[in-house]
Amino acid sequence: MNRYSIIILLVLLAISLSFCAMKQELQTTFPQEIQRVFYQKEKLEKRNEGIHFYIEFKKPLDKSIALKKIYFLHYQGSVQEITPQNYKVALVTSDTINDLILDIDPAKEYGNKAPVIAKARFDIKPTEAVLEYKLKNKTYYFKISNVFEKSL
């Protein structure tokens, strides 16, 4: 009987630990109707490009909803209120190229840095974004489809 209790205990422990690493559940509906979502690309400096992401609601956003972040094109940014119906996220993409030292002598290549590759938090298409928001002190994630680029 002791052997069966150990097996049952191990199975329960394995099941409980498997729920610790669950992915964030994306909501299919947003509590308020969104009129349109778009982004605009803007050239900032020599190698920097900015993306301004806009969310427009049909009615002013309810006070119980707090927009936090947008995840778009492997970038994330905090949401800023323009008006109670319009919100903006500024995403700065950097295309800076670090100079690499290539030489026959490996000692001269010592200062080269490995590229930093950041993994996206959500697996989304280029025409999709994820909106992080709080409703009644609980965090939700809403997947926005059909995001389009609007020219300046």
Side-chain angles (χ1 to χ4, degrees):
M1 192 67 174
N2 192 14
R3 179 180 285 167
Y4 292 116
S5 63
I6 291 174
I7 291 172
I8 291 173
L9 181 65
L10 288 175
V11 168
L12 290 175
L13 181 66
I15 290 172
S16 66
L17 291 177
S18 67
F19 289 108
C20 291
M22 289 182 69
K23 289 186 175 181
Q24 298 292 338
E25 185 177 324
L26 297 176
Q27 302 295 314
T28 56
T29 59
F30 192 73
Q32 196 162 330
E33 191 172 356
I34 297 174
Q35 183 171 348
R36 69 179 179 165
V37 178
F38 64 92
Y39 68 96
Q40 294 177 326
K41 290 185 179 179
E42 180 181 339
K43 198 74 169 165
L44 298 176
E45 294 173 14
K46 286 183 179 179
R47 294 190 180 268
N48 288 343
E49 186 177 81
I51 297 175
H52 297 283
F53 192 93
Y54 295 92
I55 303 172
E56 296 177 357
F57 294 97
K58 287 196 174 187
K59 297 178 182 175
L61 190 65
D62 193 331
K63 299 291 182 190
S64 64
I65 303 170
L67 304 181
K68 294 297 181 185
K69 288 185 180 181
I70 283 287
Y71 300 91
F72 180 64
L73 296 177
H74 301 289
Y75 302 103
Q76 66 182 12
S78 298
V79 180
Q80 302 167 351
E81 180 179 345
I82 300 172
T83 66
Q85 285 181 265
N86 299 319
Y87 291 83
K88 174 183 173 182
V89 180
L91 305 168
V92 177
T93 61
S94 178
D95 293 331
T96 58
I97 299 172
N98 293 331
D99 290 332
L100 295 176
I101 300 169
L102 302 175
D103 199 272
I104 293 175
D105 184 11
K108 292 182 180 179
E109 295 181 2
Y110 175 71
N112 291 341
K113 295 181 181 176
V116 178
I117 300 172
K119 188 175 185 296
R121 184 168 181 184
F122 298 97
D123 186 27
I124 53 176
K125 298 175 186 172
T127 59
E128 297 175 334
V130 175
L131 172 63
E132 178 182 336
Y133 67 97
K134 278 194 167 190
L135 178 64
K136 299 179 183 174
N137 294 327
K138 188 172 180 189
T139 302
Y140 295 96
Y141 297 92
F142 173 65
K143 186 175 184 179
I144 303 171
S145 300
N146 301 325
V147 177
F148 66 93
E149 181 178 0
K150 185 178 176 184
S151 59
L152 293 174

